[in-house]
Amino acid sequence: MIIGQAFGWVFDPANYSGVNAIPGRLWEHVWITLLAVLIASVIAVPIGYAIGHTGRARGVSIALSGGIRALPTLGVLSLFGLLLGIGLQAPLLALVILAIPSVLAGAYAGIESVDPVTVDAAKAQGMTGWQVLRKVEIPLGLPLLIGGVRAAVLQVVATATLAAYVGAGGLGGYFFLGLKTQDYAEMLGASILVIALAIAFEIVFAALQRAAVPKGTLDPSARQRQGSRERARNPIPEGNPS
């Protein structure tokens, strides 16, 4: 059975030594993913914070993000590969472009989610716009920013398999090698490794997102659950009081 052969390939000790060993390919995949998301964050987070704080150019950023999301990653990678040649540069640029919309959305959504009453209270205490952003909006909006980074990481970790298309390494090398040799167990085994890596990233970033919620505040889902409990305890009577 192919699934059994795939797991057999994953746990085969012969695949854990040599030039094409699984640990080396796994590290390359993690490194490519984190580097792409880091570069995207350096670009998108300041822009997102500026949009969320000032409220300007939000429509333009949404339209631009939607346009970027619609770009075919393989097509962008092929174009950069033709322009830049074999190596890490082409897939890295393509993955950065893929990650920017999610990080940008998380950044400005986090700032916009801060209660205006809280912002007004900070201004009433004499804080400048920069102080409000740094001491109030960024800490309170951090969970949504991490949520955006989390979405970007999951997108990139799945798409980074294409990096091997231009010889940049990663787990995608097993896909192309297995396709060339018709070793479908190897291809499915590589898929299992990518899925496991995505799940690991999901667990880590979910924990970071929960830890980033400031003490004394509730995340939107917890607030919604609390509101539901309050309505259950105090139902609204039918009809209008006479």
Side-chain angles (χ1 to χ4, degrees), residues 103-189:
V103 179
L104 179 64
Y108 71 69
I111 301 300
E112 289 180 345
S113 69
V114 179
D115 192 339
V117 175
T118 305
V119 175
D120 291 340
K123 291 179 179 178
Q125 292 180 355
M127 288 188 182
T128 63
W130 169 248
Q131 288 174 326
V132 170
L133 176 64
R134 182 168 59 88
K135 296 183 178 181
V136 178
E137 292 177 329
I138 290 179
L140 292 178
L142 187 58
L144 284 179
L145 171 62
I146 295 177
V149 174
R150 173 182 172 185
V153 167
L154 294 179
Q155 289 175 319
V156 172
V157 76
T159 314
T161 53
L162 296 176
Y165 182 66
V166 289
L171 293 173
Y174 296 126
F175 288 97
F176 293 104
L177 180 60
L179 184 62
K180 183 178 180 181
T181 60
Q182 296 186 347
D183 188 347
Y184 301 114
E186 181 177 2
M187 296 176 67
L188 184 56

Side-chain angles (χ1 to χ4, degrees), residues 64-84:
L64 185 61
S65 296
I68 292 175
R69 288 178 191 272
L71 291 174
T73 306
L74 182 58
V76 175
L77 175 59
S78 300
L79 176 62
F80 286 147
L82 290 173
L83 295 175
L84 301 174

